Amino acid sequence: MTERRRGPAEAPNLGEPSTPRASASVVLLRRGGKHADRALEVLLLKRSEEAKFMPGVWVFPGGGVDPGDGEGEAGHRACAVRELEEEAAIALPEDEELVLFSRWITPEVVSRRFDAWFFLALAPAHTPPKPDGVETTDARWFEPQAALESQHEGDVQLAFPTVQQLKSLLPYQTAAQAIEAHRGRQVKPILPKVIGTPDQHRVVLPGDPDYPET
């Protein structure tokens, strides 16, 4: 598996850590195929190769929270819904449930940082995704395991948080199971840290024995 190309916004930050920008994404789920026993699938979009942040990487639909989205969790939810429609041409019904799934904060060593909230939602029927052709250039439904295998084989490039979230979906057979399991669950922000040298480094998460506490 080759190292992916980094965008200019992912350059190392050698000074004080920048303030993370509020952002939100939809982890959109559907039941694969026409039969109830088919495994769940998740929507991933490929970012433009010209993007300054994570060029060519497959991501969940999402982006930065705008002032018009509102504040607090409601603003994050509004942002997630808006970005899904802008990037993938999928409009969620006004009463569609969004379940808070996870929250990731970009490591301090990266120049451009995000405080990203991820929400699980069920895809409306008969709504094929359509990439906008500017920010996103491709869109596909993946079973979580298939996406992880594609990453391992070098067919797609995934960001570290995306990989971890796909892994957390593996135990669930249906979208309904995944959403029910996370409904009302307390979500704590996760701040990965990078340890080692520029040539030999790895990402560690809270709970890892090598995770720096300061």
Side-chain angles (χ1 to χ4, degrees), residues 111-130:
S111 295
R112 183 179 297 180
R113 304 177 65 211
F114 296 92
D115 182 349
W117 297 42
F118 294 84
F119 297 91
L120 293 173
L122 186 63
H126 312 299
T127 51
K130 299 177 183 178

Side-chain angles (χ1 to χ4, degrees), residues 115-154:
D115 182 349
W117 297 42
F118 294 84
F119 297 91
L120 293 173
L122 186 63
H126 312 299
T127 51
K130 299 177 183 178
D132 63 16
V134 179
E135 293 186 70
T136 61
T137 59
D138 199 355
R140 297 183 204 169
W141 292 100
F142 289 87
E143 291 185 14
Q145 183 62 48
L148 293 170
E149 290 173 358
S150 293
Q151 156 89 343
H152 180 73
E153 294 168 2

Side-chain angles (χ1 to χ4, degrees), residues 13 18 23 25 33 43 45-46 54 61 65 77 88 103 110 113 115 132 135 140 146 150 153 165 178 193 202-203 206:
N13 177 21
S18 62
S23 66
S25 297
L43 177 64
L45 306 178
K46 184 179 182 181
M54 293 196 296
V65 177
R77 291 175 182 273
R103 181 180 172 189
V110 180
R113 304 177 65 211
D115 182 349
D132 63 16
E135 293 186 70
R140 297 183 204 169
S150 293
E153 294 168 2
Q165 291 177 89
K193 293 189 177 182
R202 66 186 181 96
V203 180

Side-chain angles (χ1 to χ4, degrees), residues 8 14 24 49 61 64 82 88 101 125 128 134 137 145 160 174 179 186 188 195 206:
L14 303 179
E49 296 287 353
R82 174 179 56 76
F101 180 42
V134 179
T137 59
Q145 183 62 48
F160 181 81
T174 68
I179 290 172
Q186 183 181 12
K188 296 182 179 180
I195 62 173

Side-chain angles (χ1 to χ4, degrees), residues 10-144:
E10 298 176 86
N13 177 21
L14 303 179
E16 289 295 319
S18 62
T19 301
R21 180 186 177 188
S23 66
S25 297
V26 175
V27 182
L28 194 67
L29 306 177
R30 74 170 185 176
R31 185 172 60 238
K34 298 181 180 179
H35 304 288
D37 59 349
R38 295 290 294 274
L40 70 81
E41 294 179 330
V42 60
L43 177 64
L44 291 174
L45 306 178
K46 184 179 182 181
R47 289 178 57 79
S48 166
E49 296 287 353
E50 308 303 318
K52 294 181 179 180
F53 189 79
M54 293 196 296
V57 176
W58 289 79
V59 298
F60 303 117
V65 177
D66 289 342
D69 294 323
E71 299 180 353
E73 187 167 329
H76 285 81
R77 291 175 182 273
C79 170
V81 171
R82 174 179 56 76
E83 289 285 346
L84 175 63
E85 186 167 9
E86 290 178 358
E87 294 188 342
I90 294 179
L92 294 180
E94 290 187 6
D95 59 349
E96 183 64 43
E97 181 183 22
L98 274 74
V99 173
L100 186 57
F101 180 42
S102 64
R103 181 180 172 189
W104 289 76
I105 301 175
T106 308
E108 296 174 345
V109 296
V110 180
S111 295
R112 183 179 297 180
R113 304 177 65 211
F114 296 92
D115 182 349
W117 297 42
F118 294 84
F119 297 91
L120 293 173
L122 186 63
H126 312 299
T127 51
K130 299 177 183 178
D132 63 16
V134 179
E135 293 186 70
T136 61
T137 59
D138 199 355
R140 297 183 204 169
W141 292 100
F142 289 87
E143 291 185 14

Side-chain angles (χ1 to χ4, degrees), residues 3-11 51-52 54-55 201:
E3 181 74 11
R4 72 174 178 85
R5 181 171 63 89
R6 306 283 171 171
E10 298 176 86
K52 294 181 179 180
M54 293 196 296
H201 59 273

